[in-house]
Amino acid sequence: MPVVELTVNERAVRVDVPGQWTLIQLLRDGLGLLGTKEGCGEGSCGACTVLVDGRLTRACLALAVRADGARVTTIEGVGTDAALHPIQDAFVRHGAIQCGFCTPGLVITTKALLDEHPWPTDHDIREFLSGNFCRCAGYNLILNAVRDAAGVVTEKR
Ligand code: FES
Ligand code: FES
């Protein structure tokens, strides 16, 4: 069985993975990191989004063995047990979490957005989040949360 060595949320890990496993299987079944959710399983919904070497990645499509040597950030790596990240805090305060299934992917995507566009326009936000579906259709609440988080995160820089 192939062995994959990678860094997940700043922690070096070594995992035996069946060759056909995807990155989401490595994270959830191999490492027990259950924050990343699988929705469609075919690259369409964005629920499984993580950062791989800083790039937004659909973990349901990425082969686990291809992550060898990569740096992966999942929702568990955003914020700490003691304090929510400002993006998470904004999602909670704006009620942008309904069923919450899409939320980890949305938070990760928002993090990538704010890393790239510290002062995003509504157009930037809509463009960046266009691949993340919320089946509860809470898009206005999500937009408000991201606007709010952008202000807070950017002010702290
Ligand atoms: S579960 Fe990966 S994009 Fe839907
Ligand atoms: S809160 Fe996004 S799918 Fe329900």
Side-chain angles (χ1 to χ4, degrees):
M1 194 180 296
V3 176
V4 176
E5 295 184 36
L6 69 166
T7 304
V8 179
N9 301 330
E10 308 301 329
R11 186 169 64 95
V13 295
R14 198 168 188 276
V15 197
D16 293 328
V17 298
Q20 77 280 11
W21 265 19
T22 57
L23 180 55
I24 195 166
Q25 288 176 296
L26 182 158
L27 294 169
R28 292 180 57 91
D29 302 332
L31 296 175
L33 294 171
L34 302 180
T36 304
K37 301 295 188 286
E38 182 158 6
C40 65
E42 56 185 30
S44 304
C45 73
C48 65
T49 304
V50 297
L51 294 174
V52 177
D53 294 328
R55 289 190 305 277
L56 289 169
T57 300
R58 305 282 207 225
C60 71
L61 292 185
L63 268 181
V65 290
R66 298 287 299 274
D68 193 49
R71 298 183 77 81
V72 176
T73 303
T74 70
I75 191 67
E76 289 89 349
V78 178
T80 64
D81 287 346
L84 294 177
H85 185 282
I87 295 170
Q88 295 169 313
D89 184 56
F91 270 67
V92 171
R93 284 188 290 99
H94 287 273
I97 298 171
Q98 294 175 68
C99 76
F101 206 81
C102 62
T103 311
L106 280 161
V107 168
I108 290 282
T109 305
T110 301
K111 181 171 173 1
L113 163 72
L114 299 185
D115 287 345
E116 197 172 317
H117 299 282
W119 300 104
T121 62
D122 280 0
H123 178 75
D124 295 331
I125 297 172
R126 288 181 204 276
E127 280 281 305
F128 239 86
L129 271 57
S130 62
N132 290 73
F133 300 163
C134 173
R135 289 166 179 80
C136 323
Y139 293 111
N140 285 335
L141 300 170
I142 292 166
L143 181 63
N144 289 338
V146 177
R147 283 186 188 127
D148 189 338
V152 174
V153 171
T154 304
E155 287 303 324
K156 283 190 170 174
R157 290 182 175 188

